Amino acid sequence: MNKHPEYLLNKISGPADLKKLSLPEMEKLASEIRTLILEKDAAEGGHLGPDLGIVEATIAYHYYAVGHTSTSIALATGMAKARDLMGKHENIMALIGDGSMTGGLAYEGLNNAAIEKHNLVVVVNDNQMSIDDNVGGLVTALKKLRDSNGETKENPFTAIGFDYRYVADGNDIQSMIDAFKAVKNVDHPILLHINTLKGKGYQPAIDNEEAHHWVMPFDLKTDKTTVAMPEGPTASSIALDVLEDHINNGEKIMAINAAIPGVFGLDRIKNKYPENYHDVGIAEQESVAFAAGMAKEGATPVLFENSTFLQRAFDQLSHDVAANDLPVVMMVAGGGISGTSKTHLGVFDQVMISNLPNWIYLAPTNLAEEKAMMEWAIKQKKHPVAIKMPTKDVPEGKEITAVDYSEIKYDIKPGKDVAVLALGDMYDMLGKKVAEKTGASLVNPVSANILDTAALDKLTQENKVIVTIEDNILDGGFGEKVASYLGDKDIKVLNYGQKRVYTDQVPLKEILKDNRMTVDQIVEDIENA
């Protein structure tokens, strides 16, 4: 049922309809869109502040498919070159935020876009904010441009060859329409710098921009989340506790992240120990290379990375860290099967890291194990170590002291005929329940990429079926490593994980069922085997 039948938005079926609207009607449309964004995010969660800030520019733009963070300019250069090659004449426009401008690919795109022979418009949406506070020299450069109404001679965009225009109020529809009309059909590269307000139309999102960049479902009257917060320690709080202990111990240790402190609660370290905290902006490549440089000099870098963004740093994970076997510690959040959009999936980190030389990828089954793994990773100085932070509900667990993870030893609870190897947060979510229903041995494999071959040999001798379960895609994952090792043995191996596909806003329950990752499905397969 349409909640707002009177809305002007109901009369809009495509960009052409916008051209029929008067300026007051377009301003009303902007207000309607903001209301719907707020209602949707209040009910379901999602990106809030950035969406509220870009409404007028979007309306004006259509009165006239952007990629993920920092990619739009590079994509546009390819489109422009293809247009010219094919003898076409359409306008090519790339929209990028000032936060995304801290990513390396943005500069690679600018470098190539500036020398294009024909039309290419880059729109920089400058709201003075990334996910957290924007960082780096770009902040200074953009401020000089804003303060001078775009007139300062210290203009990095004109310096590399762009024509440049500035819009002081990017939330004014008429100003934006005029700006887009002015750059339309210009036969050279041009950069349009627009000043907007992140969170416009919702005061709490203006007052606290970081907390409202992405939100859980919330009450519009109170701005309080409607999702019950976990009581007691979490995967993030445990990591911060360990880090704080080492800082207080006087160790030369540094928390490093790429513009997402809120994911880990890192403001606690940022505010309390500013000398032990570094945010590189939306620049995962820089964060990993930065950590490699620190480790090379003898300091202890602890990287806090989100699985879905870590893929941008694959070259650094390989050549800078792994090839030099540097003792970088990396805590990976969001690594697991989820119902998010295909641009934010967290099922690839394990495959990337696990298959590089020298990296040790550990997967805790509870919070106490996460703490023990992190303590060992910080103490050892031989190899890079990544820890897959739980994304599903895991128990707190009993305190573990002085475990040496340099040699992986499986923890085995004996059963009969079947052995279930459940990695990380799959141990409690599925492994334990499957073992209880089948009388199987339950195994904590500890590591996503280092096998306990002695334990596997013993399990093969004692069982008829070996089952692996992981919160990851199957191809190149833990289960395939086990199956490969056991390939010449007389044993049936069943691997469970996600198929190598992009899911897009598919509920987690559906994904698990589609991959036969429910307790009943796994039990059925074991019985058939």
Side-chain angles (χ1 to χ4, degrees):
M1 181 182 291
N2 192 338
K3 188 176 179 181
H4 302 285
E6 78 284 3
Y7 269 16
L8 188 61
L9 186 61
N10 293 317
K11 300 177 183 178
I12 305 296
S13 57
D17 294 329
L18 285 173
K19 299 180 187 294
K20 303 172 187 175
L21 301 181
S22 65
L23 184 62
E25 286 175 323
M26 280 188 277
E27 290 168 347
K28 180 176 184 293
L29 182 66
S31 177
E32 292 175 359
I33 291 171
R34 281 199 171 87
T35 298
L36 293 174
I37 289 171
L38 283 165
E39 289 177 353
K40 178 265 178 187
D41 280 354
E44 300 177 19
H47 288 95
L48 180 62
D51 292 354
L52 293 174
I54 196 67
V55 172
E56 287 83 6
T58 304
I59 291 173
Y61 178 86
H62 282 97
Y63 187 88
Y64 183 109
V66 176
H68 203 250
T69 296
S70 309
T71 68
S72 59
I73 304 173
L75 291 169
T77 57
M79 293 171 69
K81 191 64 72 178
R83 171 201 60 197
D84 298 345
L85 184 65
M86 298 168 74
K88 297 180 179 180
H89 302 283
E90 67 265 26
N91 286 263
I92 302 293
M93 185 173 288
L95 175 65
I96 190 167
D98 57 324
S100 296
M101 289 286 290
T102 61
L105 186 56
Y107 295 95
E108 295 173 33
L110 281 172
N111 186 49
N112 283 279
I115 59 171
E116 281 297 317
K117 294 180 180 178
H118 300 293
N119 173 275
L120 198 163
V121 181
V122 175
V123 181
V124 176
N125 174 40
D126 180 4
N127 59 28
Q128 299 94 70
M129 190 74 179
S130 179
I131 300 170
D132 189 26
D133 293 333
N134 223 341
V135 299
L138 178 72
V139 177
T140 303
L142 291 177
K143 185 177 188 304
K144 287 180 179 177
L145 286 165
R146 292 193 308 273
D147 290 350
S148 66
N149 200 38
E151 298 296 326
T152 180
K153 293 181 180 179
E154 298 178 70
N155 188 322
F157 305 117
T158 56
I160 63 172
F162 278 98
D163 188 0
Y164 172 88
R165 313 283 172 86
Y166 178 69
V167 179
D169 186 357
N171 292 114
D172 177 68
I173 292 178
Q174 186 62 61
S175 295
M176 290 307 305
I177 290 174
D178 292 344
F180 282 135
K181 281 183 177 179
V183 300
K184 186 179 180 181
N185 297 323
V186 169
D187 197 34
H188 57 259
I190 188 167
L191 191 137
L192 182 62
H193 178 190
I194 64 174
N195 180 27
T196 61
L197 178 63
K198 188 171 184 175
K200 181 176 172 64
Y202 186 58
Q203 195 60 41
I206 297 172
D207 296 338
N208 191 343
E209 293 172 302
E210 180 194 346
H212 290 82
H213 178 83
W214 190 94
V215 294
M216 299 287 280
F218 67 100
D219 184 342
L220 271 170
K221 294 178 181 178
T222 64
D223 194 48
K224 302 293 185 185
T225 182
T226 54
V227 178
M229 291 293 101
E231 295 181 7
T234 64
S236 290
S237 71
I238 288 293
L240 296 180
D241 288 346
V242 172
L243 190 65
E244 191 165 341
D245 286 345
H246 286 269
I247 293 173
N248 288 333
N249 195 38
E251 298 173 36
K252 305 304 180 186
I253 192 168
M254 177 82 75
I256 306 161
N257 98 102
I260 50 169
V263 171
F264 303 92
L266 278 166
D267 282 341
R268 168 176 153 191
I269 304 297
K270 173 184 175 181
N271 296 329
K272 196 171 180 181
Y273 309 98
E275 295 302 313
N276 299 91
Y277 174 81
H278 188 71
D279 183 347
V280 301
I282 301 179
E284 285 73 19
Q285 287 178 286
E286 160 71 3
S287 70
V288 177
F290 183 94
M294 286 200 73
K296 185 71 175 175
E297 286 297 305
T300 303
V302 181
L303 268 169
F304 288 83
E305 301 282 4
N306 200 326
S307 169
T308 190
F309 306 134
L310 186 57
Q311 59 212 31
R312 293 197 282 254
F314 183 78
D315 193 53
Q316 284 63 46
L317 292 170
S318 176
H319 283 139
D320 294 303
V321 177
N324 292 293
D325 207 4
L326 293 169
V328 169
V329 179
M330 183 163 68
M331 307 301 293
V332 181
I337 302 168
S338 69
T340 57
S341 64
K342 66 181 178 181
T343 58
H344 284 72
L345 298 178
V347 290
F348 305 114
D349 59 277
Q350 190 176 306
V351 172
M352 287 191 301
I353 302 163
S354 293
N355 292 306
L356 290 170
N358 296 322
W359 273 101
I360 299 170
Y361 205 172
L362 302 176
T365 61
N366 58 52
L367 299 183
E369 195 172 20
E370 177 195 347
K371 180 179 179 181
M373 289 173 172
M374 192 174 175
E375 291 283 8
W376 173 79
I378 290 171
K379 184 179 179 180
Q380 67 86 41
K381 299 298 177 185
K382 292 183 178 179
H383 303 291
V385 179
I387 299 173
K388 191 178 183 76
M389 299 171 71
T391 61
K392 313 297 190 291
D393 288 334
V394 297
E396 190 170 342
K398 296 179 181 178
E399 186 175 356
I400 304 170
T401 55
V403 176
D404 183 1
Y405 292 100
S406 58
E407 186 177 1
I408 299 301
K409 294 290 185 184
Y410 289 175
D411 176 52
I412 303 173
K413 291 180 169 55
K416 185 181 179 184
D417 294 333
V418 178
V420 177
L421 282 67
L423 185 71
D425 48 19
M426 292 289 100
Y427 186 87
D428 258 76
M429 180 177 169
L430 291 175
K432 186 178 287 187
K433 296 169 185 174
V434 170
E436 287 172 355
K437 284 201 169 190
T438 60
S441 295
L442 179 61
V443 183
N444 171 10
V446 182
S447 171
N449 67 336
I450 311 296
L451 302 181
D452 180 351
T453 55
L456 286 173
D457 290 342
K458 190 170 186 293
L459 289 168
T460 301
Q461 294 167 5
E462 297 172 347
N463 296 283
K464 299 173 183 177
V465 180
I466 287 182
V467 176
T468 69
I469 312 174
E470 60 195 301
D471 202 5
N472 181 66
I473 58 169
L474 280 171
D475 287 29
F478 166 70
E480 285 195 352
K481 289 175 172 57
V482 172
S484 177
Y485 176 75
L486 298 175
D488 61 351
K489 307 289 195 301
D490 185 19
I491 187 80
K492 177 76 172 179
V493 181
L494 301 176
N495 297 140
Y496 293 92
Q498 184 173 324
K499 289 176 282 193
R500 182 165 49 88
V501 297
Y502 284 104
T503 55
D504 194 15
Q505 302 285 3
V506 179
L508 176 60
K509 286 185 178 179
E510 286 186 29
I511 299 173
L512 294 176
K513 187 176 180 181
D514 186 49
N515 288 276
R516 296 197 62 78
M517 291 182 70
T518 68
V519 173
D520 290 343
Q521 287 172 320
I522 297 172
V523 169
E524 181 184 355
D525 291 347
I526 290 171
E527 291 171 349
N528 290 337

